[in-house]
Amino acid sequence: LMGIEACEEDAAQQGDFGVELGNVPESITGQELLDFINGAVVAAVEHGVGNLGSAAPCRSCLIQKSPTFGRTASLRFRSAVGARVAEFLNGIACRGATLSISRAEVERSPGASDVAAL
């Protein structure tokens, strides 16, 4: 597990390929969501969507909660391909919720509640 600052430094060094998730279930942790998204992206790639290499495509997950948007997550990927494949997963079911997935904005919001990183 890395702190937010370490994640941001790592992102700056490797490039920041991110997506934002909405409608994140209350029952899922950052690590579980990271594992779920990695599995879904790898499965999509195995069906001919892209090429990711051998490392897990998603390297960090930051879950946040806001009164306006509910529970959201910021995911950072090792490559633009991984992030783009994740965008195609918009509407995927996760623990009874339908995730909304879109391209990430550059800045992160304060109020992180759960950070997971690979």
Side-chain angles (χ1 to χ4, degrees):
L1 211 57
M2 297 186 328
I4 294 170
E5 296 82 14
C7 290
E8 288 174 349
E9 288 172 16
D10 186 46
Q13 291 172 0
Q14 296 184 24
D16 194 8
F17 306 104
V19 298
E20 298 292 326
L21 274 64
N23 201 32
V24 174
E26 290 290 332
S27 64
I28 199 165
T29 67
Q31 186 62 53
E32 290 168 333
L33 185 58
L34 185 72
D35 293 343
F36 174 79
I37 293 296
N38 274 330
V41 168
V42 168
V45 168
E46 287 176 353
H47 289 93
V49 175
N51 182 10
L52 296 173
S54 61
C58 183
R59 60 181 165 76
S60 68
C61 173
L62 173 66
I63 292 180
Q64 303 169 72
K65 188 169 186 173
S66 80
T68 307
F69 299 109
R71 206 153 183 250
T72 63
S74 297
L75 303 178
R76 298 296 176 251
F77 286 81
R78 297 180 195 287
S79 71
V81 171
R84 187 70 182 129
V85 171
E87 283 184 81
F88 284 111
L89 298 174
N90 184 38
I92 192 170
C94 177
R95 294 196 181 175
T98 302
L99 298 178
S100 64
I101 304 174
S102 61
R103 187 163 300 201
E105 293 183 23
V106 176
E107 296 182 349
R108 293 176 200 223
S109 304
S113 63
D114 193 3
V115 177
L118 289 179

